[in-house]
Amino acid sequence: MASTSPLQSISSLNLADPISSASQSHRILGSNLSYSQLFPSHHLKISSNPKGFITSKTSKPFTTKAFFFFNKSKETKPDTPKPTKVQELYVYEINERDRNSPAVLKLSQKPVNSLGDLVPFTNKLYSGDLQKRLGITAGLCVLIQHVPEKIGDRYEATYSFYFGDYGHISVQGPYLTYQETYLAVTGGSGIFEGVYGQVKLQQIIFPFKLFYTFYLKGIPDLPAELLVKPVAPSPGVEPCAAAQATEPHGTISNFTN
């Protein structure tokens, strides 16, 4: 029968001082029980090798390895700045009266041009030197104000210039039938993707002959066949015969028709 003296000693300890009680308990228990009795090892063996330890009765070591993964954020490439070089592009818009354009939608139902009247249109587009057919224009004008003293009208226009395989340029802004104006270049496609700037509109004979000077930024250098020396605008200007007939040497590749 095991001795009961340790239990009697524990029960007689003064618990008012938990720290001293704990200390006495350790001394009493330590005098009667060995560490091997308190914590049986079951033949556990601690390896001197810090990379592993033995957890079974066998002599084969069990190794634990830790892997650390660092979340390295991807390096972001700085945005490539858009070209700020201004490129001038000259084109003629000519109404050859073969596209049923323009169409006038009198939404105001008034005898004179009035606010709200709509004018959808499409005309042919030629290079500034009038040697090549480029494509077409297509868009819509909304009448904002009739200006009788100028014998004309003010429109708000939204339209595009189509250049065959090269893509297109979109513009928006004031369209005056009696004087030149500037419209904003709002974007484009193809080689004109990302373009911005403005375009100067010159009325030669409204609505049959118009001359445009684009001031384009934000795009790479334009192809040489578009950067031509323009013919000076005048009422008598006409495209060359090859361009009007859309002969191969008188057009750009897959010109928009």
Side-chain angles (χ1 to χ4, degrees):
M1 181 175 179
S3 174
T4 59
S5 59
L7 295 177
Q8 292 172 351
S9 300
I10 293 174
S11 63
S12 64
L13 289 175
N14 184 0
L15 299 179
D17 186 355
I19 297 177
S20 63
S21 299
S23 177
Q24 293 178 41
S25 299
H26 278 285
R27 288 198 298 269
I28 293 169
L29 290 173
S31 64
N32 292 277
L33 297 174
S34 67
Y35 278 100
S36 62
Q37 290 174 307
L38 289 173
F39 307 105
S41 65
H42 296 292
H43 305 289
L44 289 177
K45 296 180 180 180
I46 305 300
S47 172
S48 60
N49 184 355
K51 295 183 179 179
F53 57 91
I54 301 172
T55 59
S56 67
K57 295 180 181 180
T58 64
S59 59
K60 184 182 291 186
F62 178 82
T63 304
T64 302
K65 294 183 179 180
F67 296 91
F68 298 91
F69 297 92
F70 298 95
N71 184 16
K72 293 184 178 179
S73 58
K74 293 182 179 179
E75 295 182 1
T76 56
K77 295 182 179 179
D79 293 335
T80 303
K82 287 186 176 182
T84 57
K85 173 184 176 182
V86 178
Q87 300 183 72
E88 294 186 13
L89 172 65
Y90 308 97
V91 298
Y92 276 95
E93 180 186 12
I94 297 181
N95 184 338
E96 296 179 344
R97 300 174 176 84
D98 58 352
R99 300 178 67 86
N100 298 317
S101 174
V104 179
L105 308 178
K106 299 287 292 182
L107 298 186
S108 66
Q109 299 182 353
K110 295 180 180 179
V112 298
N113 292 344
S114 302
L115 177 67
D117 290 345
L118 302 180
V119 184
F121 67 94
T122 176
N123 296 310
K124 294 178 181 178
L125 195 63
Y126 292 93
S127 59
D129 60 1
L130 295 168
Q131 296 302 303
K132 287 193 175 184
R133 171 78 183 277
L134 303 177
I136 62 170
T137 58
L140 178 67
C141 288
V142 180
L143 197 142
I144 302 301
Q145 182 184 21
H146 177 57
V147 188
E149 62 272 20
K150 300 264 188 190
I151 315 176
D153 299 293
R154 179 187 183 95
Y155 292 88
E156 181 68 18
T158 303
Y159 56 114
S160 296
F161 297 74
Y162 291 92
F163 296 83
D165 286 348
Y166 288 130
H168 86 284
I169 299 173
S170 293
V171 303
Q172 183 177 6
Y175 183 110
L176 307 183
T177 63
Y178 49 85
Q179 70 182 48
E180 66 183 37
T181 57
Y182 286 84
L183 297 90
V185 173
T186 58
S189 66
I191 66 171
F192 304 107
E193 181 181 3
V195 71
Y196 64 100
Q198 60 181 347
V199 59
K200 180 182 178 181
L201 180 161
Q202 292 177 255
Q203 297 281 2
I204 303 172
I205 304 175
F206 172 78
F208 302 111
K209 291 181 182 179
L210 299 90
F211 180 71
Y212 295 89
T213 304
F214 285 91
Y215 302 95
L216 304 176
K217 293 185 285 186
I219 55 175
D221 289 348
L222 294 172
E225 71 174 334
L226 296 181
L227 299 176
V228 296
K229 184 178 180 179
V231 173
S234 69
V237 295
E238 293 291 344
C240 71
Q244 281 188 311
T246 65
E247 296 177 6
H249 64 281
T251 65
I252 62 171
S253 177
N254 292 325
F255 71 95
T256 309
N257 193 12

